[in-house]
Amino acid sequence: MSNSFTFLEKEHLFYTIKEGDTLYKVANELRLDPLEIRHYHNIYAEIDDVIQDDFASHLKVLILQTEKDRLETKTKRDEAQKKVTLSNTNFNLVFRPEELKKEYQVKYTIENGENIDTMRQEMSIKRLLTKENDYFYFEIDTVSKLYLNGTEVDGLAVELAENTAQILYPLQIVVDDNGKWRDIYNFDAIQKRWEVKKQDLLEYYEGDTTDQYIAIVDKTLQSKGKLVNKLSSNWFLRAFFNGIHIDYTEKLEIEKNVFYPISTNIIEAQFLVKQKINERLDEKKRLIIEQKGILDDARSKIDFENGSEFPFHAMSNENSIKAKGSYEAKYFLDPNNHNVNELLLECLIEIEPPQKLKIEVSPIKAEKIDSITQSRISLLN
């Protein structure tokens, strides 16, 4: 990297791009944020030299901030970020998933009465470049084996689940501008992968378990709607793409209903929550959104215990007892692009036996992920 020079009445540094250089490679070499490099360069570059996803083939020089300017910018940004403000008049937390490509560790703690199980798996999320009509597209993949109570899960059922994951993942989904998951984008590709995989299973496995498994997958993949309905109980998808990027009041809070599939035996439950943006960033300079509320579902305690989708018992019995429950979630976001960096979610329904679910999602890597090659066992609940 050369000495500083003056350009448009501002002092800069410049980096001469070498053969084989990429934005992420240079950022790693200079120990700088690739998004900040691109943003700064594009401010001062000619239109033809603007960086999109990566360096244009003709680009020879990269414009960089001086160390002094970078420190001054950081100081000003840190001061400004001490207190959270939403600049738009609608107090909208804008969903800006720029360059999102991260790996997360996902841990589930499932309590069914006195029985407690933990499951752990690593997932990756990558934003696809496609955007249409205010919808964003993401690719979800699994990057580790599934661990139950600290032990790698094995057996025929798991082998079959592994094959399910191979046809389901990578899963491409459609997300609205509130950050809420809405649809599947690559359903046709999933169907084609299944037809090939099904023939392999029929040749390799025999028995009732395999036949039942194939029948279930066949039924699920009859239409995109059926697969969407199946995935609507996926804890990770529903927690991560929860629609938190919405309009808030001037006090940075709002009351809303949240629907969540607390267990495999219960169709999603409705909770009434207060959703609030903390006024200040935390010690790691993250924007925090908290959701806290109670069960607000029309079904009775018996309806939940029977696994009913509708409030049949509550409607036919005036003296039916309403179920009680709670919901709490905390999202830790990047204050600049509002991407989810970490989240905690816990919900409870007080029935017999009590049902409680806790989800912890934390980042493994923040840098670019070059390859995903490990097992793809899925948590489809």
Side-chain angles (χ1 to χ4, degrees), residues 197-325:
K197 179 58 64 176
K198 180 166 63 172
Q199 295 306 314
D200 293 341
L201 293 177
L202 290 171
E203 292 178 9
Y204 188 78
Y205 296 100
E206 293 181 353
D208 293 341
T209 300
T210 301
D211 292 340
Q212 291 171 8
Y213 164 80
I214 289 176
I216 291 172
V217 177
D218 273 337
K219 184 177 180 180
T220 301
L221 295 182
Q222 283 179 350
S223 69
K224 184 166 70 170
K226 289 187 177 182
L227 182 57
V228 168
N229 184 61
K230 179 68 174 179
L231 288 175
S232 67
S233 62
N234 184 284
W235 294 325
F236 175 71
L237 281 179
R238 294 291 297 273
F240 197 93
F241 297 100
N242 196 11
I244 58 176
H245 300 80
I246 57 176
D247 292 343
Y248 290 80
T249 65
E250 188 174 358
K251 294 182 178 180
L252 301 181
E253 63 181 45
I254 191 172
E255 191 172 72
K256 59 180 283 191
N257 285 119
V258 169
F259 298 85
Y260 198 78
I262 184 171
S263 79
T264 55
N265 299 322
I266 296 176
I267 303 299
E268 61 179 20
Q270 176 176 312
F271 299 87
L272 180 63
V273 306
K274 177 182 286 187
Q275 184 167 306
K276 181 177 177 61
I277 301 176
N278 285 11
E279 292 184 353
R280 294 190 176 275
L281 304 183
D282 68 359
E283 67 279 359
K284 296 182 180 180
K285 298 179 182 177
R286 299 175 300 183
L287 186 151
I288 299 176
I289 295 179
E290 293 186 272
Q291 297 176 323
K292 189 171 184 178
I294 60 172
L295 185 66
D296 187 38
D297 199 290
R299 286 169 288 182
S300 69
K301 186 170 178 286
I302 291 179
D303 283 322
F304 277 110
E305 290 171 351
N306 290 338
S308 299
E309 183 177 358
F310 301 103
F312 296 122
H313 181 266
M315 294 174 65
S316 60
N317 293 271
E318 294 182 0
N319 298 322
S320 63
I321 300 174
K322 291 206 68 175
K324 295 181 180 180

Side-chain angles (χ1 to χ4, degrees), residues 7-8 41-51 58 63:
F7 179 59
L8 296 180
H41 172 89
N42 288 350
I43 291 175
Y44 299 100
E46 298 291 337
I47 293 178
D48 290 343
D49 292 337
V50 166
I51 300 172
H58 69 272
I63 304 171

Side-chain angles (χ1 to χ4, degrees), residues 109-110 235 260-262 345-347 355-359:
T109 304
I110 306 104
W235 294 325
Y260 198 78
I262 184 171
L345 187 153
E346 186 173 299
C347 48
Q355 303 291 304
K356 185 176 181 180
L357 173 67
K358 182 178 181 180
I359 301 174

Side-chain angles (χ1 to χ4, degrees), residues 26-79:
V26 172
N28 185 59
E29 179 182 328
L30 301 179
R31 297 187 177 182
L32 297 175
D33 186 316
L35 300 185
E36 290 185 3
I37 289 178
R38 184 177 67 179
H39 176 73
Y40 187 85
H41 172 89
N42 288 350
I43 291 175
Y44 299 100
E46 298 291 337
I47 293 178
D48 290 343
D49 292 337
V50 166
I51 300 172
Q52 299 294 337
D53 298 326
D54 212 331
F55 301 144
S57 58
H58 69 272
L59 188 62
K60 304 299 182 184
V61 175
L62 181 63
I63 304 171
L64 300 170
Q65 270 183 304
T66 64
E67 181 67 19
K68 179 182 177 182
D69 189 27
R70 188 161 55 249
L71 290 175
E72 289 177 353
T73 302
K74 183 178 183 301
T75 299
K76 291 178 182 178
R77 185 169 62 233
D78 289 347
E79 287 297 320

